[in-house]
PDB file of all heavy atoms in Angstrom:
ATOM      1  N   LYS A  50      -1.956  22.093  51.750  1.00 96.00           N
ATOM      2  CA  LYS A  50      -0.880  23.042  52.055  1.00 96.00           C
ATOM      3  C   LYS A  50      -1.436  24.471  52.036  1.00 96.00           C
ATOM      4  O   LYS A  50      -1.129  25.271  52.920  1.00 96.00           O
ATOM      5  CB  LYS A  50       0.249  22.888  51.040  1.00 96.00           C
ATOM      6  CG  LYS A  50       1.426  23.774  51.259  1.00 96.00           C
ATOM      7  CD  LYS A  50       2.321  23.217  52.304  1.00 96.00           C
ATOM      8  CE  LYS A  50       3.637  23.977  52.328  1.00 96.00           C
ATOM      9  NZ  LYS A  50       4.437  23.600  53.461  1.00 96.00           N
ATOM     10  N   ALA A  51      -2.267  24.778  51.042  1.00 96.00           N
ATOM     11  CA  ALA A  51      -2.844  26.123  50.944  1.00 96.00           C
ATOM     12  C   ALA A  51      -3.712  26.431  52.163  1.00 96.00           C
ATOM     13  O   ALA A  51      -3.627  27.518  52.743  1.00 96.00           O
ATOM     14  CB  ALA A  51      -3.649  26.262  49.656  1.00 96.00           C
ATOM     15  N   LYS A  52      -4.520  25.471  52.561  1.00 97.00           N
ATOM     16  CA  LYS A  52      -5.387  25.662  53.744  1.00 97.00           C
ATOM     17  C   LYS A  52      -4.530  25.870  54.988  1.00 97.00           C
ATOM     18  O   LYS A  52      -4.828  26.727  55.829  1.00 97.00           O
ATOM     19  CB  LYS A  52      -6.298  24.437  53.918  1.00 97.00           C
ATOM     20  CG  LYS A  52      -7.185  24.481  55.137  1.00 97.00           C
ATOM     21  CD  LYS A  52      -8.558  24.967  54.809  1.00 97.00           C
ATOM     22  CE  LYS A  52      -9.547  24.575  55.865  1.00 97.00           C
ATOM     23  NZ  LYS A  52      -9.978  25.596  56.715  1.00 97.00           N
ATOM     24  N   SER A  53      -3.452  25.120  55.095  1.00 95.00           N
ATOM     25  CA  SER A  53      -2.547  25.243  56.234  1.00 95.00           C
ATOM     26  C   SER A  53      -1.897  26.638  56.277  1.00 95.00           C
ATOM     27  O   SER A  53      -1.780  27.245  57.349  1.00 95.00           O
ATOM     28  CB  SER A  53      -1.472  24.156  56.143  1.00 95.00           C
ATOM     29  OG  SER A  53      -0.471  24.356  57.092  1.00 95.00           O
ATOM     30  N   ILE A  54      -1.493  27.147  55.123  1.00 92.00           N
ATOM     31  CA  ILE A  54      -0.886  28.487  55.064  1.00 92.00           C
ATOM     32  C   ILE A  54      -1.911  29.533  55.484  1.00 92.00           C
ATOM     33  O   ILE A  54      -1.594  30.456  56.235  1.00 92.00           O
ATOM     34  CB  ILE A  54      -0.345  28.775  53.647  1.00 92.00           C
ATOM     35  CG1 ILE A  54       0.805  27.820  53.316  1.00 92.00           C
ATOM     36  CG2 ILE A  54       0.090  30.231  53.511  1.00 92.00           C
ATOM     37  CD1 ILE A  54       1.177  27.791  51.843  1.00 92.00           C
ATOM     38  N   LEU A  55      -3.135  29.388  55.006  1.00 94.00           N
ATOM     39  CA  LEU A  55      -4.206  30.308  55.376  1.00 94.00           C
ATOM     40  C   LEU A  55      -4.447  30.276  56.892  1.00 94.00           C
ATOM     41  O   LEU A  55      -4.607  31.323  57.530  1.00 94.00           O
ATOM     42  CB  LEU A  55      -5.484  29.936  54.625  1.00 94.00           C
ATOM     43  CG  LEU A  55      -6.586  30.961  54.515  1.00 94.00           C
ATOM     44  CD1 LEU A  55      -6.103  32.260  53.896  1.00 94.00           C
ATOM     45  CD2 LEU A  55      -7.729  30.383  53.684  1.00 94.00           C
ATOM     46  N   GLU A  56      -4.420  29.080  57.473  1.00 94.00           N
ATOM     47  CA  GLU A  56      -4.600  28.945  58.924  1.00 94.00           C
ATOM     48  C   GLU A  56      -3.447  29.620  59.676  1.00 94.00           C
ATOM     49  O   GLU A  56      -3.672  30.284  60.689  1.00 94.00           O
ATOM     50  CB  GLU A  56      -4.703  27.467  59.320  1.00 94.00           C
ATOM     51  CG  GLU A  56      -5.947  26.769  58.800  1.00 94.00           C
ATOM     52  CD  GLU A  56      -7.245  27.417  59.243  1.00 94.00           C
ATOM     53  OE1 GLU A  56      -7.349  27.817  60.421  1.00 94.00           O
ATOM     54  OE2 GLU A  56      -8.152  27.532  58.407  1.00 94.00           O
ATOM     55  N   LYS A  57      -2.216  29.458  59.184  1.00 90.00           N
ATOM     56  CA  LYS A  57      -1.068  30.098  59.835  1.00 90.00           C
ATOM     57  C   LYS A  57      -1.182  31.615  59.754  1.00 90.00           C
ATOM     58  O   LYS A  57      -0.847  32.317  60.711  1.00 90.00           O
ATOM     59  CB  LYS A  57       0.235  29.632  59.192  1.00 90.00           C
ATOM     60  CG  LYS A  57       0.622  28.228  59.586  1.00 90.00           C
ATOM     61  CD  LYS A  57       1.917  27.808  58.936  1.00 90.00           C
ATOM     62  CE  LYS A  57       2.195  26.350  59.261  1.00 90.00           C
ATOM     63  NZ  LYS A  57       3.310  25.809  58.497  1.00 90.00           N
ATOM     64  N   LEU A  58      -1.653  32.106  58.602  1.00 91.00           N
ATOM     65  CA  LEU A  58      -1.827  33.550  58.445  1.00 91.00           C
ATOM     66  C   LEU A  58      -2.818  34.086  59.470  1.00 91.00           C
ATOM     67  O   LEU A  58      -2.633  35.170  60.026  1.00 91.00           O
ATOM     68  CB  LEU A  58      -2.292  33.870  57.016  1.00 91.00           C
ATOM     69  CG  LEU A  58      -2.553  35.331  56.670  1.00 91.00           C
ATOM     70  CD1 LEU A  58      -1.325  36.195  56.921  1.00 91.00           C
ATOM     71  CD2 LEU A  58      -3.000  35.457  55.220  1.00 91.00           C
ATOM     72  N   LYS A  59      -3.847  33.306  59.764  1.00 91.00           N
ATOM     73  CA  LYS A  59      -4.859  33.733  60.740  1.00 91.00           C
ATOM     74  C   LYS A  59      -4.306  33.785  62.162  1.00 91.00           C
ATOM     75  O   LYS A  59      -4.904  34.403  63.032  1.00 91.00           O
ATOM     76  CB  LYS A  59      -6.077  32.796  60.690  1.00 91.00           C
ATOM     77  CG  LYS A  59      -6.897  32.995  59.434  1.00 91.00           C
ATOM     78  CD  LYS A  59      -8.200  32.248  59.491  1.00 91.00           C
ATOM     79  CE  LYS A  59      -8.029  30.841  59.043  1.00 91.00           C
ATOM     80  NZ  LYS A  59      -9.270  30.086  59.001  1.00 91.00           N
ATOM     81  N   GLU A  60      -3.161  33.169  62.390  1.00 90.00           N
ATOM     82  CA  GLU A  60      -2.542  33.165  63.721  1.00 90.00           C
ATOM     83  C   GLU A  60      -1.522  34.287  63.886  1.00 90.00           C
ATOM     84  O   GLU A  60      -0.972  34.459  64.961  1.00 90.00           O
ATOM     85  CB  GLU A  60      -1.860  31.821  63.974  1.00 90.00           C
ATOM     86  CG  GLU A  60      -2.833  30.656  64.029  1.00 90.00           C
ATOM     87  CD  GLU A  60      -2.123  29.304  64.041  1.00 90.00           C
ATOM     88  OE1 GLU A  60      -0.871  29.270  64.103  1.00 90.00           O
ATOM     89  OE2 GLU A  60      -2.823  28.287  63.971  1.00 90.00           O
ATOM     90  N   THR A  61      -1.269  35.043  62.832  1.00 85.00           N
ATOM     91  CA  THR A  61      -0.254  36.100  62.887  1.00 85.00           C
ATOM     92  C   THR A  61      -0.878  37.439  63.259  1.00 85.00           C
ATOM     93  O   THR A  61      -2.099  37.572  63.369  1.00 85.00           O
ATOM     94  CB  THR A  61       0.447  36.269  61.516  1.00 85.00           C
ATOM     95  OG1 THR A  61      -0.491  36.821  60.586  1.00 85.00           O
ATOM     96  CG2 THR A  61       0.997  34.951  61.002  1.00 85.00           C
TER      97      THR A  61
END
Side-chain angles (χ1 to χ4, degrees):
K50 182 81 169 171
K52 177 97 160 106
S53 171
I54 295 166
L55 198 56
E56 293 302 318
K57 285 180 185 171
L58 179 57
K59 288 189 275 183
E60 295 170 5
T61 69

